[in-house]
Amino acid sequence: MPTSVDRALTPMAFVRAMVAAYRERGVDAAGALELAQIPPGKVDQPNARITAAQMEAVSEAAMRELDDEGLGCFSRALPWGSYGMLARASLSAPTLGMALRRWCRHHGLITDDVALSLETVSERARLVLRPHRRPGPLTEFCVVSVLRNIHGLASWYVDSRIPLQGAQFPYAPPPHLDAYAVLFDGPATFGADEAAIAFDARYLTLPMRRDEAAMNQLLQRALPLTVRSYRRDRLLVQRVRQVLATQPLDAHNADDLAALLNVSARTLHRQLKDEGASLQALKDEVRRQRATELLLRTRRPIKQVAQACGFQNEKSFIRAFRGWTGRSPGEWRGEQLAQLVHVAEDARHR
């Protein structure tokens, strides 16, 4: 499940959950373990880990042998192709938001053990999973699998990374807590009433970018959806502008800004370059807009305007403003106000 296909990061606890599903059906899991090169003796080792490639191999083998894409998580098996059917049924939606709402609604048709919903509050969207039955030993595996599945599919639908703002889980922190930083790229909380992942609601407005041919190709090997890490973030430039505009004092440098966006500084620079943008150009754009608005609409001293725009001192603000307009902030303000007065007087005399 983690994004690295080479490092052993996936908790063996998820393999134990699959082995339990085999045991419940009276089937031997040895073949699936052998196919994934997982020694049976390591399955019960509490701290053991496997690679993403091994997780993909053992999961596919188990789904086919048990004819259950839910891998024992639900009270009845989900026959092979169930999740492909859900994905295909949402493909014709015009936007990601409509596709996810459709997917959640259709998921309730194949199992009523959990209820899935898409909720939005202000600028925050949440995919919520609520269990309808008493939590059991497979609760963690079920929650992680379903949320990773829908998150991966959502990213695939719009061909974009969808960074998470947070994730919550209805159980205590597991022994392999460190794996959650890889499974879900936002802060995780435990002991909640429901499971959920949260992200910027603007991703819901993105248009769907996949067609039937792409879906057919995906369904030939869909499991890597929960492994693949999308590099491109189609809303990154907008997200950077928003942070720079609303939290200028917290985003003085690339490291601070990257931390607010839950990415590394290196990733931030690379993805902006992929979008044909640069951090400095976006900073200048946002700061200039903020500065001109404050200079025209308020009587704040230049020093206060500089601070509100994220500059550490008045001198650096004046130097930057001259570079943008060829005038000092005071000169520009005076010229603009004089022009407004002139326009008002002309209008009055007409």
Side-chain angles (χ1 to χ4, degrees), residues 318-338:
I318 293 174
R319 183 168 57 249
F321 199 88
R322 281 190 182 279
W324 298 333
T325 66
R327 301 282 190 277
S328 71
E331 292 170 345
W332 186 89
R333 172 186 262 172
E335 291 175 359
Q336 295 298 314
L337 291 178

Side-chain angles (χ1 to χ4, degrees), residues 211-277:
D211 57 18
E212 190 69 22
M215 177 62 70
N216 291 334
Q217 184 176 10
L218 170 72
L219 294 181
Q220 293 177 18
R221 191 164 176 258
L223 283 172
L225 273 181
T226 60
V227 177
R228 180 176 180 179
S229 178
Y230 280 81
R231 289 181 57 179
R232 180 171 188 173
D233 182 346
R234 294 184 181 276
L235 286 185
L236 181 64
V237 171
Q238 293 182 42
R239 294 172 63 224
V240 169
R241 284 197 185 103
Q242 182 180 37
V243 172
L244 291 173
T246 59
Q247 299 173 261
L249 300 180
D250 299 324
H252 281 305
N253 54 53
D255 289 332
D256 293 340
L257 177 60
L260 293 172
L261 295 171
N262 290 323
V263 298
S264 68
R266 182 178 179 181
T267 297
L268 174 63
H269 284 300
R270 186 192 69 234
Q271 292 188 3
L272 285 176
K273 184 178 179 181
D274 290 344
E275 294 297 305

